[in-house]
Amino acid sequence: MYGKDLKRKAMNKGLWILVYLTALYSQAYSQRPPWMRGDMPNRSNVSYYFKVTLGEGRTRTEARNNALLELVGELSRNQGVMIKGQDILENLSQSHGSVYDESTRQQSRYRFETEEFNACFDVADEYYEGNACWMLFEVAYNPEKVWFDKLEFTTDYKGAALWRSMVVPGWGQMYKRSMGKGITILSLQVATIAGICVCDNLSKSYRNKALSEWNNSVRENYNDRSASYRNVRNGCIIAAGAVYVYNLVDAIAAKGAKRYKKNSLTFTPYANSNSQGFLFSVSL
């Protein structure tokens, strides 16, 4: 019997460790920007396309440079040109008008122009995990005629997270892609509610036993157990209320994962090989 108890405890401990590690992984994965999850932003015109590259290195600066080298290297190969990495970085530095490093401002246009190769692109966004860098680029089809969109992001989910957390504790946090926090809140809420039900039933059971018991010492023992479970039940009620209130406050106050900020109206020049004009875009 003792061996079975140890085995059961070990299995329960292993299960909780697995749940904890799964929550940590889902939390890290969920904080990635939407374009890394395959959700690309909408374009207001067709003069460019999106491209994601990955760079790795010993430092973030090196990883960022390698991500840029990957893009320009691919573009040059598509045009049948081979360019050295050092030449690419020097050209990018000159096109930006400053020393190129990891603090370079995003949303800056870069031109790469040689006798045989011509490219134009914007750094729309970038994301780091350790010394790995993912970059989202807007790449021009025609470097001479392109209108890049300025991507804007937000971490504000307004009331959409609040009403979800009011219905199911932790749902609002999951909606904001804080999966680890949402799973923890939901688990605590379920555990405290289960504790309320179990302790209340045990308290009533011992109280009924006390009422039908004639032996004073046994009856007092039943009454003590009933009172103990009643106290634990009250503690679970307080804990359940605290978890629910924290769940609502967190749903309002905490920032969520980065998502695209939608503009109600955009007005963008448009051009291709056959026509030119203006494009209106409305986001509802």
Side-chain angles (χ1 to χ4, degrees):
M1 182 65 69
Y2 181 72
K4 290 183 178 180
D5 290 339
L6 288 178
K7 186 176 180 181
R8 184 172 62 253
K9 290 180 179 179
M11 291 179 63
N12 291 335
K13 185 177 180 180
L15 179 61
W16 278 111
I17 292 175
L18 179 61
V19 170
Y20 176 73
L21 293 176
T22 302
L24 285 181
Y25 174 78
S26 63
Q27 179 75 6
Y29 178 80
S30 65
Q31 292 303 312
R32 292 179 172 181
W35 50 268
M36 283 192 64
R37 304 190 297 267
D39 179 16
M40 290 296 177
N42 295 323
R43 297 178 299 166
S44 66
N45 64 86
V46 293
S47 65
Y48 71 92
Y49 63 95
F50 289 107
K51 176 67 178 178
V52 178
T53 64
L54 167 63
E56 297 179 296
R58 292 167 295 181
T59 64
R60 286 193 168 189
T61 299
E62 183 178 339
R64 196 176 195 274
N65 287 342
N66 288 336
L68 280 158
L69 292 174
E70 178 64 25
L71 173 70
V72 180
E74 181 177 323
L75 295 177
S76 64
R77 288 191 296 271
N78 291 340
Q79 297 186 27
V81 180
M82 295 299 293
I83 306 175
K84 295 181 180 180
Q86 187 60 36
D87 294 337
I88 294 175
L89 293 177
E90 289 179 0
N91 191 291
L92 293 176
S93 298
Q94 293 170 3
S95 69
H96 187 263
S98 63
V99 176
Y100 192 81
D101 59 26
E102 65 185 20
S103 64
T104 301
R105 185 175 64 88
Q106 294 181 7
Q107 302 293 352
S108 297
R109 179 179 296 193
Y110 295 90
R111 289 296 300 268
F112 197 101
E113 212 167 348
T114 66
E115 293 181 0
E116 301 175 335
F117 176 62
N118 188 12
C120 180
F121 58 89
D122 256 357
V123 180
D125 195 24
E126 56 192 77
Y127 175 78
Y128 294 91
E129 284 185 6
N131 289 333
C133 175
W134 287 262
M135 299 188 74
L136 174 67
F137 296 99
E138 297 174 338
V139 184
Y141 285 108
N142 181 357
E144 306 303 327
K145 294 181 180 179
V146 60
W147 290 274
F148 291 128
D149 292 317
K150 182 178 180 180
L151 298 186
E152 294 184 337
F153 298 88
T154 182
T155 56
D156 185 11
Y157 287 69
K158 299 181 178 178
L162 176 60
W163 74 259
R164 285 173 169 80
S165 286
M166 292 177 67
V167 175
V168 179
W171 185 16
Q173 286 74 15
M174 296 178 194
Y175 174 69
K176 294 192 295 183
R177 305 197 70 84
S178 295
M179 300 300 294
K181 186 188 296 183
I183 292 171
T184 300
I185 290 175
L186 180 60
S187 300
L188 288 174
Q189 195 74 87
V190 171
T192 52
I193 292 174
I196 293 171
C197 296
V198 171
C199 291
D200 185 64
N201 287 332
L202 288 173
S203 177
K204 290 178 179 179
S205 175
Y206 280 113
R207 184 178 61 189
N208 292 334
K209 288 181 179 181
L211 292 175
S212 60
E213 180 60 48
W214 293 97
N215 188 301
N216 289 333
S217 61
V218 175
R219 185 168 60 249
E220 289 180 2
N221 180 266
Y222 285 153
N223 284 327
D224 289 341
R225 291 190 178 185
S226 176
S228 296
Y229 280 113
R230 189 162 57 249
N231 291 334
V232 175
R233 180 205 62 188
N234 294 339
C236 289
I237 292 174
I238 295 173
V243 170
Y244 187 76
V245 171
Y246 170 80
N247 156 69
L248 297 180
V249 173
D250 182 80
I252 299 172
K255 299 297 183 181
K258 186 164 62 173
R259 64 175 180 171
Y260 302 120
K261 184 177 182 181
K262 296 182 179 180
N263 297 321
S264 58
L265 176 65
T266 58
F267 177 73
T268 310
Y270 168 82
N272 58 26
S273 58
N274 299 320
S275 63
Q276 296 181 355
F278 297 94
L279 177 68
F280 290 92
S281 177
V282 179
S283 298
L284 301 177

